[in-house]
Amino acid sequence: PIWRLVSTASLAAISGQARGEHYAATKGALLSMTKALAVEYARFGVTAHTILPGWIETDLTHFLRVDEGTESSVLSRVPLGRWGRSDEIAHAALFLASDASSFMTGQELIVDGGLSAMGKANRRAGAHSAVGQQSGATPQVVGQDTDAGHVVCQCQTATGVQVLRRQ
């Protein structure tokens, strides 16, 4: 019999996440471990892959979807303009577990509505909104390095704490 291993991580595994370093690190570790398993066990007919979902409509994302401003910020960065569904992730897993993927191993399957395909300039526009939503303030751009694709935002929060974010 041929065995299939399908793990689920997050886009944070390949792109990081502001104020979520611990989350990004664990998802990156899972991605790396799955690739190592793919190489180690391929000789036994085992394939191993990782699904990297984008914004998916689940109970855990409910609080983001009910806030109109946050939802608008999230969806403005997704080219398909909607939340993914859990059955779409399940279908991706079924594909990776099926014979249709029998000559694949160690791959990342990104299911994100096009979020990761957007250029930095387009993602940046949504990122400004997300920083404001997370810190409770409207960010102001205080610097930009166009060669590196970074934008530094500064926020003044309700508690008077300044938050600087590099996007």
Side-chain angles (χ1 to χ4, degrees), residues 8-24:
T8 304
S10 164
L11 288 177
I14 58 172
S15 62
Q17 180 180 353
R19 296 187 325 175
E21 296 82 4
H22 57 289
Y23 182 78

PDB file of all heavy atoms in Angstrom, residues 8-24:
ATOM      1  N   THR A   8      -1.474  20.256   7.779  1.00  0.00           N
ATOM      2  CA  THR A   8      -2.066  21.571   7.537  1.00  0.00           C
ATOM      3  C   THR A   8      -1.314  22.586   8.373  1.00  0.00           C
ATOM      4  O   THR A   8      -1.213  22.449   9.593  1.00  0.00           O
ATOM      5  CB  THR A   8      -3.557  21.597   7.929  1.00  0.00           C
ATOM      6  OG1 THR A   8      -4.232  20.566   7.221  1.00  0.00           O
ATOM      7  CG2 THR A   8      -4.190  22.933   7.576  1.00  0.00           C
ATOM      8  N   ALA A   9      -0.776  23.602   7.713  1.00  0.00           N
ATOM      9  CA  ALA A   9      -0.044  24.656   8.411  1.00  0.00           C
ATOM     10  C   ALA A   9      -0.798  25.967   8.214  1.00  0.00           C
ATOM     11  O   ALA A   9      -1.978  26.047   8.508  1.00  0.00           O
ATOM     12  CB  ALA A   9       1.393  24.739   7.905  1.00  0.00           C
ATOM     13  N   SER A  10      -0.139  26.965   7.705  1.00  0.00           N
ATOM     14  CA  SER A  10      -0.714  28.288   7.519  1.00  0.00           C
ATOM     15  C   SER A  10       0.203  29.074   6.595  1.00  0.00           C
ATOM     16  O   SER A  10       1.382  28.749   6.465  1.00  0.00           O
ATOM     17  CB  SER A  10      -0.815  28.996   8.874  1.00  0.00           C
ATOM     18  OG  SER A  10      -1.008  30.380   8.715  1.00  0.00           O
ATOM     19  N   LEU A  11      -0.328  30.121   5.981  1.00  0.00           N
ATOM     20  CA  LEU A  11       0.529  31.006   5.188  1.00  0.00           C
ATOM     21  C   LEU A  11       1.629  31.627   6.046  1.00  0.00           C
ATOM     22  O   LEU A  11       2.673  32.027   5.526  1.00  0.00           O
ATOM     23  CB  LEU A  11      -0.295  32.111   4.533  1.00  0.00           C
ATOM     24  CG  LEU A  11      -1.191  31.679   3.382  1.00  0.00           C
ATOM     25  CD1 LEU A  11      -1.995  32.871   2.874  1.00  0.00           C
ATOM     26  CD2 LEU A  11      -0.384  31.066   2.258  1.00  0.00           C
ATOM     27  N   ALA A  12       1.409  31.687   7.348  1.00  0.00           N
ATOM     28  CA  ALA A  12       2.433  32.227   8.252  1.00  0.00           C
ATOM     29  C   ALA A  12       3.720  31.408   8.185  1.00  0.00           C
ATOM     30  O   ALA A  12       4.790  31.912   8.504  1.00  0.00           O
ATOM     31  CB  ALA A  12       1.909  32.266   9.688  1.00  0.00           C
ATOM     32  N   ALA A  13       3.632  30.162   7.725  1.00  0.00           N
ATOM     33  CA  ALA A  13       4.819  29.315   7.599  1.00  0.00           C
ATOM     34  C   ALA A  13       5.790  29.851   6.564  1.00  0.00           C
ATOM     35  O   ALA A  13       6.993  29.628   6.659  1.00  0.00           O
ATOM     36  CB  ALA A  13       4.412  27.891   7.218  1.00  0.00           C
ATOM     37  N   ILE A  14       5.285  30.596   5.577  1.00  0.00           N
ATOM     38  CA  ILE A  14       6.149  31.089   4.509  1.00  0.00           C
ATOM     39  C   ILE A  14       6.209  32.607   4.435  1.00  0.00           C
ATOM     40  O   ILE A  14       7.013  33.159   3.695  1.00  0.00           O
ATOM     41  CB  ILE A  14       5.716  30.534   3.131  1.00  0.00           C
ATOM     42  CG1 ILE A  14       4.272  30.899   2.810  1.00  0.00           C
ATOM     43  CG2 ILE A  14       5.936  29.028   3.083  1.00  0.00           C
ATOM     44  CD1 ILE A  14       3.830  30.559   1.406  1.00  0.00           C
ATOM     45  N   SER A  15       5.368  33.293   5.213  1.00  0.00           N
ATOM     46  CA  SER A  15       5.368  34.752   5.108  1.00  0.00           C
ATOM     47  C   SER A  15       5.458  35.476   6.442  1.00  0.00           C
ATOM     48  O   SER A  15       5.537  36.682   6.469  1.00  0.00           O
ATOM     49  CB  SER A  15       4.100  35.214   4.372  1.00  0.00           C
ATOM     50  OG  SER A  15       2.947  34.831   5.101  1.00  0.00           O
ATOM     51  N   GLY A  16       5.437  34.761   7.533  1.00  0.00           N
ATOM     52  CA  GLY A  16       5.495  35.412   8.840  1.00  0.00           C
ATOM     53  C   GLY A  16       4.160  36.006   9.234  1.00  0.00           C
ATOM     54  O   GLY A  16       3.209  36.001   8.470  1.00  0.00           O
ATOM     55  N   GLN A  17       4.096  36.505  10.438  1.00  0.00           N
ATOM     56  CA  GLN A  17       2.863  37.089  10.947  1.00  0.00           C
ATOM     57  C   GLN A  17       3.225  38.072  12.051  1.00  0.00           C
ATOM     58  O   GLN A  17       3.844  37.693  13.037  1.00  0.00           O
ATOM     59  CB  GLN A  17       1.943  35.995  11.488  1.00  0.00           C
ATOM     60  CG  GLN A  17       0.652  36.514  12.034  1.00  0.00           C
ATOM     61  CD  GLN A  17      -0.230  35.388  12.551  1.00  0.00           C
ATOM     62  OE1 GLN A  17       0.046  34.225  12.391  1.00  0.00           O
ATOM     63  NE2 GLN A  17      -1.301  35.763  13.201  1.00  0.00           N
ATOM     64  N   ALA A  18       2.824  39.321  11.865  1.00  0.00           N
ATOM     65  CA  ALA A  18       3.105  40.338  12.884  1.00  0.00           C
ATOM     66  C   ALA A  18       2.448  39.938  14.203  1.00  0.00           C
ATOM     67  O   ALA A  18       1.306  39.487  14.227  1.00  0.00           O
ATOM     68  CB  ALA A  18       2.580  41.695  12.427  1.00  0.00           C
ATOM     69  N   ARG A  19       3.150  40.111  15.280  1.00  0.00           N
ATOM     70  CA  ARG A  19       2.701  39.773  16.634  1.00  0.00           C
ATOM     71  C   ARG A  19       2.305  38.311  16.768  1.00  0.00           C
ATOM     72  O   ARG A  19       1.531  37.943  17.634  1.00  0.00           O
ATOM     73  CB  ARG A  19       1.552  40.680  17.072  1.00  0.00           C
ATOM     74  CG  ARG A  19       1.959  42.116  17.175  1.00  0.00           C
ATOM     75  CD  ARG A  19       0.916  43.015  17.752  1.00  0.00           C
ATOM     76  NE  ARG A  19      -0.436  42.640  17.387  1.00  0.00           N
ATOM     77  CZ  ARG A  19      -1.515  43.214  17.834  1.00  0.00           C
ATOM     78  NH1 ARG A  19      -1.408  44.214  18.666  1.00  0.00           N
ATOM     79  NH2 ARG A  19      -2.698  42.824  17.475  1.00  0.00           N
ATOM     80  N   GLY A  20       2.845  37.465  15.900  1.00  0.00           N
ATOM     81  CA  GLY A  20       2.549  36.045  15.968  1.00  0.00           C
ATOM     82  C   GLY A  20       3.770  35.213  15.642  1.00  0.00           C
ATOM     83  O   GLY A  20       3.681  34.210  14.942  1.00  0.00           O
ATOM     84  N   GLU A  21       4.912  35.653  16.154  1.00  0.00           N
ATOM     85  CA  GLU A  21       6.156  34.972  15.842  1.00  0.00           C
ATOM     86  C   GLU A  21       6.110  33.509  16.254  1.00  0.00           C
ATOM     87  O   GLU A  21       6.594  32.630  15.538  1.00  0.00           O
ATOM     88  CB  GLU A  21       7.344  35.662  16.522  1.00  0.00           C
ATOM     89  CG  GLU A  21       7.600  37.079  16.041  1.00  0.00           C
ATOM     90  CD  GLU A  21       6.706  38.129  16.715  1.00  0.00           C
ATOM     91  OE1 GLU A  21       5.918  37.792  17.630  1.00  0.00           O
ATOM     92  OE2 GLU A  21       6.811  39.291  16.313  1.00  0.00           O
ATOM     93  N   HIS A  22       5.534  33.236  17.410  1.00  0.00           N
ATOM     94  CA  HIS A  22       5.436  31.866  17.903  1.00  0.00           C
ATOM     95  C   HIS A  22       4.579  31.019  16.957  1.00  0.00           C
ATOM     96  O   HIS A  22       4.897  29.872  16.670  1.00  0.00           O
ATOM     97  CB  HIS A  22       4.854  31.853  19.316  1.00  0.00           C
ATOM     98  CG  HIS A  22       3.510  32.505  19.411  1.00  0.00           C
ATOM     99  ND1 HIS A  22       3.336  33.872  19.288  1.00  0.00           N
ATOM    100  CD2 HIS A  22       2.277  31.983  19.569  1.00  0.00           C
ATOM    101  CE1 HIS A  22       2.051  34.154  19.383  1.00  0.00           C
ATOM    102  NE2 HIS A  22       1.392  33.031  19.540  1.00  0.00           N
ATOM    103  N   TYR A  23       3.509  31.575  16.456  1.00  0.00           N
ATOM    104  CA  TYR A  23       2.628  30.872  15.520  1.00  0.00           C
ATOM    105  C   TYR A  23       3.362  30.600  14.205  1.00  0.00           C
ATOM    106  O   TYR A  23       3.346  29.475  13.694  1.00  0.00           O
ATOM    107  CB  TYR A  23       1.373  31.719  15.285  1.00  0.00           C
ATOM    108  CG  TYR A  23       0.351  31.088  14.373  1.00  0.00           C
ATOM    109  CD1 TYR A  23      -0.502  30.081  14.843  1.00  0.00           C
ATOM    110  CD2 TYR A  23       0.221  31.497  13.057  1.00  0.00           C
ATOM    111  CE1 TYR A  23      -1.445  29.505  14.010  1.00  0.00           C
ATOM    112  CE2 TYR A  23      -0.720  30.929  12.217  1.00  0.00           C
ATOM    113  CZ  TYR A  23      -1.550  29.933  12.704  1.00  0.00           C
ATOM    114  OH  TYR A  23      -2.486  29.368  11.873  1.00  0.00           O
ATOM    115  N   ALA A  24       4.006  31.626  13.661  1.00  0.00           N
ATOM    116  CA  ALA A  24       4.746  31.474  12.408  1.00  0.00           C
ATOM    117  C   ALA A  24       5.857  30.435  12.565  1.00  0.00           C
ATOM    118  O   ALA A  24       6.085  29.624  11.657  1.00  0.00           O
ATOM    119  CB  ALA A  24       5.321  32.817  11.962  1.00  0.00           C
TER     120      ALA A  24
END
